[in-house]
Amino acid sequence: MSLSLFVQLLVNALTIGSIYVLMVLGLDIILRGTKILNFAHGQLYMLGAYVMFLFFQALHWNFLLSLALTGLALGLVGMLIYLGVFATLARRFTPTTTFSYRLLLSAMASVGLMMILQQGTLLGFGTQERGIQPPFPQIIDSFGVRVSLMRLAIILASLVICVLLYLLMNKTSLGRLMRAVSYDPEAVTLQGVNTFWVFVFCFALGSALAGLAGGIIAPVFSVTPAMGQDVIFLSLLVLLVGGIGSYRGTIAGGLLIGLLLSFGFQLLGGVAELFVFMLVIVILIFKPGGMLGEAAE
Amino acid sequence: MPLLLVKNVTKVFGALIALRDVSFEVNRLEILGLIGPNGAGKSTLFNLISGFHRPDKGKILFKDTEITGLRVDRIAGMGIGRIFQEPTLFMQETVFENVFSGLHRHYREPAWKAFLHTRAANREEAVSREKAAEILEFMDLAAMRDELAANLPHGHQRSLAIAIALACEPELLLLDEPVTGMNPSETAVMSDKIRQIRERGITVLIVEHDMRAVMSLCDRIVVLNLGEKLVEGTPDRIKSDQRVIEAYLGKQVI
Amino acid sequence: MKKRLAFITLAIAFMAMPLLISCSPAATPPAPPAEVKTLKIGASLPFTDSMGIDTKKALEMIVPAFNQAVGLTVKGQKYNLDFVIYDDKYTADGGRAAVERLVNEDKVQFIVGQIGSAPIVAGLTVTEPAKVLVFCGGASDKIINPNNKYVFGTAVWRTNLPPLFPYLKQAFPNAKTIVNLSPDDETGKNLARDNSKVATAAGFTVLDSVYYPRPTQDFAPFATKVVSLNPDVVNFPGTAAGTSFGLQLKALYEAGYKGALVSPMPPNLSEVLSVAPKEALEGMVTIMPPTDVPNPSSMASQYQKDWTAKYGQWSVASLQWIPAFYAFVEAVKKTDSLDPGAVASNISANGLSWESANGKAMLVKRPDYKNNRFCDTVSSLNFGKFTNGKYEFLGSISAEDLAKANEAAFDGGSWK
């Protein structure tokens, strides 16, 4: 394998991997913070791409501004979804409702939400496939290595988002509170905190991450109502492989999937995807909690 | 004026009457024991006071304010701390962080201020750190402040749970079986600690199975049986009460 | 308890709503005048794909106009055509479900204008035993299987290849090797195989076929793979004409591919160019839309004018699938009957020719598939090369000549 090919494959792997990292960090924050397995996460990613299209392509705003606003907008959407759907559902629960029943019902509600958002986008925006002209269309071509600048920008931006998220979760009392709530909401309640708004914030933050993932990849992919469908399944796999509740695991899992898809296809051809699923099964057999998840310890 | 007043409280779960018309009061700065055989309704009563459940009839007043049906966090914020039998700790954080976070939440400064490290927030943080250190010292946990909560022995985890509750500066502390499963010397240490907590100005309400500990520790005792209040009074009175002995079917300890 | 039940019912209804919406008939029937009867025609199209939506829009444009202008007259009785269109999701399951509904619930006897191979082939298991007549696009050779009696392929995807590669040779005389980039489904695999056969006959060497799952958005791994095979030409058999094609071209461009491009299906330029830079399309040899040739037919110009007036943005893709409709109309007129059996046996034995905005076309036999029924289609075609963001006209071929070119390329006997 030539150096050029290797670098190209690596950049592709990191691009796709970092999108999955953002997606799965969002899924994980929502799952641990609010105990909702959000199947509509892929549709939030799709909405992120549409909002990015609106701000950047239609209104011609600055790229970074558009991206930041996309994150905010999806955070808001997430908040409304939580208040409108999941909080309403949670109000139906009594103290005797079992945990698994709560998890099941909220997951079912998210499946319904998935279809509503999907069909709503279809009805609202039509099926026309849209593209976003990349703000950095240049191709870096030196020493025989060709790399798209846009893809490098995506990797960098994802890294920045991950660092910001790390600071939020570990260096602020809000982050500490979110972690505490995800560990034991009742104990936090007994410390006099109204955990409801922490749940809302967790859901909004997770949704914002999905929106950022969709918005940031939109200039590389196309914007279609169906784009959220496939990404959710691989994201759930990454969540399982990386381990629920482990940031290191999520990042490792996302990048691993990126590497497998990119190099696997080059070396193995069409069976690469099959290989990914087999790997997931193997990992789950030997490490049921994922590579670095809580249950693994 | 009693600190806590439980008035004619009834709680029904489906066909089961968990509590029927129970009334008692907790006076300021006393240690009150709540005892009774299994299924007497002790846990239900704790859940009603701390707001996890809502009574079907009757009301609960704290400092003359009705708290029946308030949210758990509001009740906690008003000054009622609760410690579960199984300590609820944040296992992946250190002993110090566990207490510090509790303090922090108690003061509720807006998150963005801390994020920007404003001077007020910094000062507040320094005060919180000092306070956390003092509480750890008080609970004899100062030596292990940097241990992960998960790595503590079980007895110390209980102490830590109390430390976290103290961080919220409660006026009333609900303790769920604080000495169950401890050996006599540990029990003595914990009983002593509970008296010291009272000396800090905190009223204590205990549910406990260890009769010897309850009798020596509590100022007064309320006995529940089958969801109803059987009797209340000083330990000496309870010890000799025929109804209590019958309820416990001649348990040797009494 | 009652309240909870009501809540659950409401929640389920909410969840089911999108399903209901997506399945409901797309076209509402206009009230016909008393003396004119209404003839229900079925169609299934992928609403998940811009090609499907554009075809639906095309039907919604040409059918009312046809009803108003001439209408379909059979044995002196005038009929207004009413299309019932369901979403087939471009899948076998979706196709079968849609066709079952059309045949069993709506009782249609004609299905006209399907486009995806997978849904069409799945639908045939319903339409053939029910003796429902099908005029459809789709590239699968299962459509022209000799066991089928009631289905007619009206797209040129099985017959357009023989002249394409000579034009490629003309545009790129030094090109020798080809790699196919295709979706890994029925359409893609059939077309990649046919393309390889014809390209080999035209003197090219096919190095490999690279398959991608149809919903793929990240084509970088596939493009890198193609580039590492170092072909002179990349061919795109079976690729959807919209942004998917654009993303493939863009990925190839970014991976540093500089060779020639050939596409058996004309790209939907507005969508392709919304994701790919103009440079990525440079030098692509393809079938040129009939609207872009130097002297377009009046039917083609009129169609483009009507479309732009009605929908704004022009869509080449919409044009590709309408021959099915004109073939159906001609077939019924020629037989002067609405009995699907009679129509099928008449045109199977005697052939059919028709004209649409897409050009003049006719049915041919497929002796290479041992099918001596007139079942497949040849049409007049134009070829062009994409240069500086525009088509450069290379030449055209008539339906008759296309049939001859195919006879020569696929051995087996006369196609007429």
Side-chain angles (χ1 to χ4, degrees):
Chain A
M1 188 182 284
S2 70
L3 176 70
S4 167
L5 183 58
F6 179 78
V7 173
Q8 268 179 20
L9 290 176
L10 189 66
V11 169
N12 293 342
L14 291 178
T15 319
I16 301 310
S18 54
I19 293 306
Y20 278 111
V21 168
L22 292 185
M23 282 295 286
V24 179
L25 284 177
L27 260 183
D28 191 49
I29 286 173
I30 292 177
L31 177 60
R32 288 198 302 145
T34 65
K35 308 291 181 281
I36 294 165
L37 186 53
N38 185 21
F39 282 95
H41 208 61
Q43 275 58 45
L44 295 171
Y45 161 88
M46 177 264 294
L47 283 182
Y50 271 92
V51 173
M52 190 67 186
F53 179 87
L54 175 72
F55 289 156
F56 181 67
Q57 185 80 7
L59 299 174
H60 302 291
W61 290 353
N62 171 284
F63 182 71
L64 283 179
L65 176 72
S66 302
L67 190 62
L69 287 177
T70 300
L72 275 180
L74 263 289
L76 196 67
V77 169
M79 189 175 110
L80 293 178
I81 285 176
Y82 186 81
L83 293 177
V85 179
F86 296 107
T88 316
L89 188 66
R91 230 166 272 140
R92 298 272 153 179
F93 298 148
T94 62
T96 49
T97 314
T98 59
F99 177 72
S100 51
Y101 189 62
R102 285 171 197 234
L103 194 64
L104 180 69
L105 272 194
S106 51
M108 287 309 294
S110 80
V111 171
L113 189 67
M114 172 170 111
M115 293 161 115
I116 290 169
L117 290 177
Q118 175 96 15
Q119 296 292 332
T121 314
L122 258 174
L123 294 175
F125 293 92
T127 49
Q128 203 211 336
E129 298 168 1
R130 292 150 217 262
I132 293 183
Q133 292 299 331
F136 316 109
Q138 300 87 341
I139 309 247
I140 300 171
D141 195 345
S142 52
F143 308 110
V145 176
R146 278 176 70 91
V147 173
S148 146
L149 188 62
M150 188 63 220
R151 283 182 183 250
L152 291 181
I154 287 173
I155 297 170
L156 185 70
S158 307
L159 195 66
V160 169
I161 294 170
C162 284
V163 169
L164 286 178
L165 192 67
Y166 174 83
L167 291 177
L168 173 70
M169 295 307 275
N170 291 289
K171 300 289 167 197
T172 69
S173 51
L174 181 63
R176 242 181 258 136
L177 184 59
M178 282 168 66
R179 282 192 297 153
V181 165
S182 60
Y183 187 73
D184 190 339
E186 252 175 29
V188 176
T189 313
L190 280 173
Q191 291 177 344
V193 176
N194 184 1
T195 45
F196 179 77
W197 290 104
V198 184
F199 294 154
V200 174
F201 186 79
C202 283
F203 201 92
L205 180 65
S207 306
L209 283 170
L212 285 172
I216 209 170
I217 199 70
V220 172
F221 290 175
S222 60
V223 183
T224 70
M227 67 187 285
Q229 276 170 335
D230 304 296
V231 77
I232 185 66
F233 291 109
L234 269 182
S235 299
L236 287 171
L237 285 187
V238 172
L239 184 66
L240 288 176
V241 167
I244 294 167
S246 162
Y247 290 100
R248 278 180 305 153
T250 298
I251 290 170
L255 296 182
L256 181 71
I257 293 273
L259 286 170
L260 278 176
L261 287 178
S262 184
F263 284 87
F265 185 79
Q266 181 70 28
L267 301 173
L268 301 172
V271 294
E273 212 159 47
L274 205 66
F275 189 69
V276 170
F277 292 108
M278 273 162 56
L279 185 88
V280 169
I281 293 171
V282 169
I283 287 181
L284 290 183
I285 288 173
F286 290 102
K287 289 235 164 190
M291 293 188 298
L292 296 162
E294 276 169 358
E297 281 153 18
Chain B
M1 173 191 88
L3 183 65
L4 183 79
L5 181 64
V6 176
K7 214 168 152 187
N8 306 107
V9 161
T10 298
K11 177 70 191 174
V12 181
F13 292 115
L16 175 80
I17 301 171
L19 287 173
R20 190 204 301 266
D21 203 24
V22 173
S23 300
F24 67 94
E25 50 196 54
V26 183
N27 297 314
R28 223 171 253 279
L29 292 186
E30 74 175 344
I31 299 177
L32 182 74
L34 198 57
I35 64 170
N38 283 330
K42 305 181 298 277
S43 308
T44 307
L45 198 50
F46 261 28
N47 281 335
L48 291 181
I49 297 171
S50 51
F52 282 104
H53 293 171
R54 201 194 169 104
D56 294 310
K57 275 195 202 126
K59 46 183 157 177
I60 301 167
L61 277 74
F62 181 64
K63 292 194 283 185
D64 273 354
T65 315
E66 182 162 355
I67 58 168
T68 334
L70 287 185
R71 278 202 322 266
V72 176
D73 57 287
R74 295 261 298 136
I75 292 174
M78 289 173 75
I80 299 182
R82 176 171 179 188
I83 290 147
F84 289 93
Q85 188 185 353
E86 272 310 308
T88 51
L89 307 174
F90 304 109
M91 294 295 181
Q92 295 311 315
E93 293 191 347
T94 66
V95 168
F96 181 78
E97 280 169 352
N98 261 288
V99 178
F100 178 71
S101 304
L103 271 168
H104 233 60
R105 267 157 229 156
H106 181 62
Y107 288 123
R108 296 177 175 216
E109 99 288 18
W112 59 269
K113 273 193 184 166
F115 195 63
L116 296 175
H117 291 282
T118 61
R119 274 173 83 182
N122 280 345
R123 202 177 316 123
E124 206 165 74
E125 189 170 317
V127 171
S128 297
R129 282 182 181 282
E130 233 166 73
K131 191 109 199 282
E134 186 271 322
I135 291 173
L136 288 180
E137 185 76 37
F138 173 74
M139 289 308 296
D140 301 325
L141 290 168
M144 33 200 110
R145 54 175 281 160
D146 295 323
E147 291 278 339
L148 285 187
N151 298 341
L152 291 187
H154 197 255
H156 284 116
Q157 287 190 349
R158 279 195 191 175
S159 302
L160 180 55
I162 296 177
I164 294 171
L166 291 180
C168 296
E169 298 183 331
E171 286 180 63
L172 174 66
L173 196 56
L174 311 184
L175 288 175
D176 205 343
E177 309 199 3
V179 300
T180 298
M182 286 186 170
N183 64 34
S185 68
E186 285 170 339
T187 304
V189 172
M190 183 55 88
S191 299
D192 209 37
K193 205 43 87 184
I194 292 170
R195 283 188 203 99
Q196 285 175 30
I197 288 171
R198 190 239 310 258
E199 279 157 28
R200 284 171 79 98
I202 298 168
T203 309
V204 181
L205 178 58
I206 298 180
V207 163
E208 183 53 69
H209 277 296
D210 186 330
M211 286 306 151
R212 208 184 301 273
V214 172
M215 294 300 166
S216 70
L217 185 59
C218 297
D219 305 319
R220 280 193 314 129
I221 292 172
V222 172
V223 185
L224 292 178
N225 189 30
L226 299 173
E228 293 184 61
K229 188 171 84 172
L230 204 57
V231 65
E232 71 171 283
T234 59
D236 287 339
R237 241 194 84 193
I238 298 295
K239 259 188 236 174
S240 55
D241 193 294
Q242 199 54 41
R243 289 167 295 177
V244 177
I245 294 167
E246 272 169 24
Y248 276 89
L249 276 172
K251 277 204 173 172
Q252 294 305 309
V253 280
I254 298 177
Chain C
M1 203 60 204
K2 256 188 185 165
K3 238 175 150 183
R4 169 176 276 195
L5 197 70
F7 173 72
I8 291 171
T9 321
L10 198 70
I12 291 170
F14 250 109
M15 290 178 188
M17 209 164 60
L19 283 175
L20 297 177
I21 292 169
S22 69
C23 290
S24 62
T28 46
E35 69 278 13
V36 180
K37 285 189 180 170
T38 298
L39 178 64
K40 251 192 205 174
I41 312 283
S44 83
L45 293 167
F47 293 0
T48 44
D49 192 301
S50 67
M51 206 155 67
I53 291 293
D54 284 348
T55 306
K56 175 167 166 271
K57 282 179 171 173
L59 286 172
E60 283 165 0
M61 182 177 87
I62 57 178
V63 174
F66 173 80
N67 283 338
Q68 209 168 23
V70 281
L72 189 63
T73 309
V74 180
K75 294 196 173 87
Q77 169 67 51
K78 197 178 168 215
Y79 290 91
N80 266 348
L81 302 182
D82 173 24
F83 266 76
V84 182
I85 310 176
Y86 295 125
D87 185 5
D88 65 25
K89 302 181 172 68
Y90 221 117
T91 61
D93 286 350
R96 196 184 153 104
V99 168
E100 271 178 351
R101 218 177 138 191
L102 287 171
V103 172
N104 297 327
E105 283 180 35
D106 298 298
K107 312 274 183 216
V108 304
Q109 296 197 293
F110 300 92
I111 292 180
V112 175
Q114 292 167 295
I115 67 179
S117 285
I120 292 171
V121 172
L124 287 179
T125 58
V126 179
T127 53
E128 282 293 317
K131 300 192 167 71
V132 169
L133 197 53
V134 177
F135 291 89
C136 61
S140 170
D141 57 7
K142 292 192 176 130
I143 295 168
I144 52 169
N145 183 303
N147 295 328
N148 297 331
K149 300 289 177 229
Y150 299 93
V151 58
F152 298 86
T154 53
V156 290
W157 315 128
R158 280 172 301 267
T159 56
N160 67 347
L161 297 173
L164 181 65
F165 290 93
Y167 279 114
L168 176 66
K169 197 103 213 171
Q170 179 192 321
F172 297 96
N174 298 324
K176 298 252 181 303
T177 54
I178 294 184
V179 166
N180 293 323
L181 187 53
S182 285
D184 65 350
D185 58 9
E186 177 87 25
T187 311
K189 293 206 161 147
N190 275 324
L191 282 175
R193 198 198 50 221
D194 284 358
N195 272 259
S196 301
K197 200 163 151 191
V198 178
T200 310
F204 291 94
T205 309
V206 177
L207 298 175
D208 202 353
S209 291
V210 174
Y211 295 107
Y212 59 86
R214 196 174 271 279
T216 298
Q217 284 226 308
D218 183 24
F219 284 100
F222 307 98
T224 325
K225 174 94 181 176
V226 168
V227 172
S228 68
L229 293 166
N230 199 22
D232 299 329
V233 182
V234 179
N235 185 14
F236 303 86
T239 284
T243 52
S244 175
F245 191 21
L247 291 171
Q248 291 169 44
L249 292 170
K250 180 178 165 187
L252 282 170
Y253 175 71
E254 286 182 354
Y257 180 69
K258 299 233 165 48
L261 303 161
V262 59
S263 168
M265 196 186 283
N268 187 344
L269 276 189
S270 63
E271 286 188 359
V272 167
L273 287 174
S274 78
V275 292
K278 217 171 57 187
E279 297 79 35
L281 281 74
E282 195 61 22
M284 179 172 60
V285 174
T286 183
I287 291 178
M288 211 170 146
T291 45
D292 291 23
V293 295
N295 289 307
S297 72
S298 62
M299 243 178 138
S301 318
Q302 187 62 39
Y303 179 89
Q304 184 174 20
K305 221 172 90 190
D306 291 348
W307 178 282
T308 319
K310 190 166 165 128
Y311 299 119
Q313 180 97 48
W314 166 235
S315 158
V316 175
S318 76
L319 195 64
Q320 288 161 32
W321 309 94
I322 56 169
F325 175 73
Y326 293 96
F328 156 74
V329 169
E330 283 305 319
V332 171
K333 272 197 208 157
K334 187 173 174 177
T335 319
D336 199 23
S337 163
L338 282 177
D339 172 27
V343 177
S345 53
N346 181 21
I347 61 174
S348 291
N350 304 319
L352 185 74
S353 63
W354 67 89
E355 189 177 359
S356 74
N358 217 18
K360 286 188 177 140
M362 59 185 200
L363 288 180
V364 287
K365 296 176 181 171
R366 289 302 296 260
D368 51 334
Y369 280 91
K370 314 232 170 329
N371 195 343
N372 279 317
R373 192 166 73 84
F374 282 96
C375 60
D376 206 0
T377 293
V378 290
S379 158
S380 60
L381 291 174
N382 309 293
F383 295 89
K385 179 182 168 195
F386 205 74
T387 316
N388 289 329
K390 269 162 67 186
Y391 283 112
E392 183 189 306
F393 183 63
L394 291 176
S396 51
I397 189 168
S398 70
E400 279 81 9
D401 289 344
L402 182 60
K404 279 184 201 139
N406 273 292
E407 276 173 18
F410 303 98
D411 34 69
S414 169
W415 284 35
K416 284 195 197 163

